[in-house]
Amino acid sequence: MRVRWLAVLGCLFGVFGMGLVACGGDDDSTSSGGGGGISGDSLTIYSSLPLQGTSKGQSEAVIQGEKLALKEVGNKVGKYKIKYVSLDDSTAQNPGTADEGQTAQNARKAVQDSSTIFYLGEFNSGGTKVSLPILNQANIPQISPSNTYVGLTTNAPGSEPGEPDKYYPAQKRTYARIVPTDTIQGAALATIMKEDGCNSVHIFNDKTTYGAGLAKNVESAAKKVGLTVEGNDGTDKNSANYRSLASKIKADCFVGSGVTGENYVQVFKDVAAACPNCKLYGPDGVAEAAFTDPKEGGIPADVGARTKVTVATLSPGEFKKQGIDKAVKFFDDFKAEYGVAQPDPYSIYGYETMALALDTLKAVGAKANDREAVRKQLLENTKGRDSVLGKYDIDKNGDTTLTDYGLYDIKAGQLEFVKAIKAQG
């Protein structure tokens, strides 16, 4: 990996294939990339999330969770001090989501830092398509708190040709995620629509990696449970409104497969007006105050009353019901640390992302400064992990074995837990 022409060639195949310029020079790899140890007694964990726009609140909740986990170990694992660096992968010109250029810059920053041992991110699956091949070249272990796009780890339905291999130019896995993929979320949405008496569904997607991929999974799952899919249409975030597109909806149920930052408040407003009797459903991409709360620019209360949202986390009460005591303790500690009455659903994922990274370092002991040892521990030995999310494995692809999704209503501008969904199919 230190041979320049091999590094450049791998980057060309792994990154230019996505239309991105993300290759660095000789300083893009470090001595720890192939299994050597990072020198000194300090290791750095980078976090890369969108800190501007509509996703700011969710990202800040992730960061608070990460910092809480780090605080609990005194910012240290064994003899190593842990330095935490938070990076913004969004820009003023492209807020609310991962900007490709900024994300590539963040990944290169981590690669060029010889003390980097983990990279936590991205929040958006489209951002990880950029950062993953860059980090993979340098053998930097990466964990996402929120990615659900299937093509990052498998070639299952919903992925694109060449995935996931093109994200791993080093030809070994360096990436893991702690949320179920959109294969599970698509099935969860289809399951709840079937339970709610839907006969047909019309899907809009925001054309992003996340939205378009999830829409395919929803479409497939809906057909499996006997729903008629009337359409799957892409939307443009720069459109002033979506009235014309919404007027074509004939189904009795609607899924908006997108994120708030892609103008999905307007999408839901226009669909609700055009189809006054439609049941409305949104995924975790809209599970934030910027979508749910009219005071934060979200959907009107009457539209919120008709909308259900799926998120891959449960309520404190449901965690307690399932006997996941670590989750109950997390929520108590989080409320005490930050003085919030209702933690954002993503706060527990931020905590678990950091906790998994720290426990992985602890598990390899004296080799906590060795990226290859850490990578192998994360991807090959995370089995039966007893976490705040419940017990899970990280499989050979880097995916969690967790499958539960939470169903939420919107009341008074806030997400209110209804139940856990056991997805069909």
Side-chain angles (χ1 to χ4, degrees), residues 11-23:
C11 195
L12 286 171
F13 279 107
V15 183
F16 281 1
M18 293 180 289
L20 299 166
V21 179
C23 299

Side-chain angles (χ1 to χ4, degrees), residues 363-383:
V364 297
K367 291 188 175 182
N369 66 333
D370 185 329
R371 290 179 186 167
E372 178 60 13
V374 173
R375 182 199 70 80
K376 290 184 70 175
Q377 176 64 29
L378 174 67
L379 274 299
E380 298 177 14
N381 297 316
T382 303
K383 307 297 178 187

